[in-house]
Amino acid sequence: MIVATLFGLFFLFLLLSVPVAVSLGLSTLITAYIFEGSDLLIDLSSNLFSQLDKYALMAIPMFILAGSLLSKGGSAKRIIEFAKAFVGHLPGGLPIAAIFASIIFAAVSGSSPATVAAIGSIMFGAILSAGYPKTYAIGTITTAGSLGILIPPSIVMIIYGVTAEQSIGKLFMAGVIPGILIGSMLMLVAYFGAKRLGFKTTKPASWKERWQKFKEAFWALMTIVIIIGGIYGGIFTPTEAAAVSAIWALFVSLVIYKDIQIKDLGNIFFESAKVSGMILFIIANASMFAYFLTLENIPQMLTDLVVQMNLNKVTFLIAVNIILLIAGNFMEPSSIIMIMVPLLLPIAKMLGIDPIHFGVIITINMELGMLTPPVGLNLFVASGITGESIKEVVKSVLPWFIVMLFGLILITYIPKISLWLPKTMMG
């Protein structure tokens, strides 16, 4: 009865267009009051604040600020020019360059919508001008940008790490090969799709030109080296890396490239603070929701149910992917992770599924959720960039979505894809 009331109220508020964070908080407080009385409300209110008092969560606003500084400046454009110099001559060269640039920018920003906005706003017009169909251009920039939450640093992985009490460093490392794998699959689709459309190989850029583009993009590319190298070189923690990346992005954009002026900083800081506040407010309310579930022993009840049903790894992971793909249609990643992980992770551990591998599976599902209506954020960003309706964007994304779904299946059932790198580098 408690579970039915809790989730019934939650979905009722969503249907009434109440914001997700408020829906989570209200449904928890009302259910707690009905079944447990007013005493529990004090405990839940305290939990609302204590869940944000975690060192690792400090990384979120700083990575958001770093991504905002680099995307507002010319770093994204320099990364695109660097990518075009190396792959632009291939059939599908511009779409491939957009995907390649998205992989690089994802390793700078940690944000999927930021990657779509930064790369897509430049590449959409370029891909269209080269004669590609509009649906092809929309599909490329929207799906490539979703790599922003898989390739480290990843805000979604930070939230999973905090919720699941797992090493954020290992999670970051676990996302590298899956991110490159899915990115490569998208590049192959772009290549063979362009060949089918009649595009041919053109003259490649000279090595002198490639060197020039590398030099121009060098300071932006160094952000990746500083973040990843610093974490795995033992110089600083992921949270410290976030702070360093924000300072570095400010220095690069303001002093080296001079793409932004002092007068622009107020607006950039304000926008970054708004996004950070939104994410942290969702995390706080979702944490309270998950805490109430734990108090009512619901995760243990689910685990016992799975034992009785005799689910094995394969069938459990099929169920997890289906549940997360459906949830991704209606909720944003932070909420899903904070609610689902306390419910699903104990079962995954019982079945012998590595929590780091499980985190990668969840993150890829969150990527796919960014591409599904009605709340897929990448769809709205792409719609704003291209001027097309959400319906047209969804139709354009569908073939690429299927490729990413195939990537999810591979990574779900071949754990070594996720686990080889963290086990090799971090033991």
Side-chain angles (χ1 to χ4, degrees), residues 99-369:
I99 297 164
F100 186 24
S102 293
I103 291 172
I104 297 171
F105 195 78
V108 170
S109 70
S111 166
S112 182
T115 304
V116 176
I119 305 300
S121 58
I122 300 168
M123 289 303 290
F124 176 67
I127 294 170
L128 278 185
S129 300
Y132 291 91
K134 184 178 281 190
T135 53
Y136 194 92
I138 295 169
T140 303
I141 63 165
T142 311
T143 49
S146 67
L147 296 169
I149 62 173
L150 180 58
I151 294 171
S154 162
I155 291 166
V156 167
M157 282 185 170
I158 292 169
I159 296 168
Y160 174 83
V162 170
T163 308
E165 298 181 343
Q166 296 297 314
S167 163
I168 292 169
K170 283 188 177 181
L171 284 165
F172 279 4
M173 192 53 65
V176 173
I177 294 178
I180 293 171
L181 173 65
I182 292 177
S184 300
M185 290 168 68
L186 293 175
M187 287 185 197
L188 283 172
V189 171
Y191 176 80
F192 288 110
K195 286 194 80 169
R196 186 174 56 81
L197 290 168
F199 288 86
K200 300 188 185 307
T201 304
T202 56
K203 186 181 177 182
S206 66
W207 282 103
K208 182 180 178 182
E209 187 180 345
R210 288 173 176 174
W211 174 246
Q212 181 60 34
K213 296 299 181 187
F214 170 74
K215 285 195 296 183
E216 290 173 6
F218 175 78
W219 297 108
L221 297 173
M222 275 298 292
T223 312
I224 304 168
V225 177
I226 290 169
I227 296 170
I228 305 301
I231 293 171
Y232 300 110
I235 300 169
F236 35 66
T237 66
T239 304
E240 290 164 349
V244 171
S245 71
I247 294 167
W248 176 255
L250 180 64
F251 177 72
V252 168
S253 300
L254 201 61
V255 178
I256 298 178
Y257 289 148
K258 298 179 181 175
D259 294 318
I260 58 174
Q261 308 297 319
I262 296 285
K263 64 181 180 182
D264 301 323
L265 292 180
N267 190 48
I268 291 172
F269 290 157
F270 179 67
E271 290 300 318
S272 300
K274 276 205 307 186
V275 174
S276 301
M278 177 189 72
I279 292 174
L280 291 171
F281 184 57
I282 291 169
I283 289 171
N285 282 279
S287 296
M288 183 172 66
F289 187 96
Y291 177 65
F292 181 66
L293 290 175
T294 306
L295 285 179
E296 298 299 327
N297 216 27
I298 292 165
Q300 185 58 48
M301 289 163 55
L302 275 177
T303 305
D304 293 341
L305 182 64
V306 169
V307 171
Q308 291 168 18
M309 291 171 66
N310 290 317
L311 287 184
N312 57 28
K313 272 188 192 182
V314 173
T315 49
F316 171 70
L317 288 172
I318 289 171
V320 165
N321 283 330
I322 292 171
I323 290 167
L324 293 175
L325 286 170
I326 293 169
N329 287 323
F330 304 102
M331 297 163 65
E332 59 80 52
S334 305
S335 309
I336 297 172
I337 289 171
M338 302 298 286
I339 295 168
M340 294 296 183
V341 169
L343 294 174
L344 299 175
L345 187 58
I347 304 170
K349 286 180 177 177
M350 181 192 72
L351 293 172
I353 298 165
D354 189 292
I356 299 295
H357 176 223
F358 196 63
V360 174
I361 293 169
I362 288 178
T363 303
I364 298 170
N365 274 287
M366 298 305 96
E367 278 190 330
L368 292 167

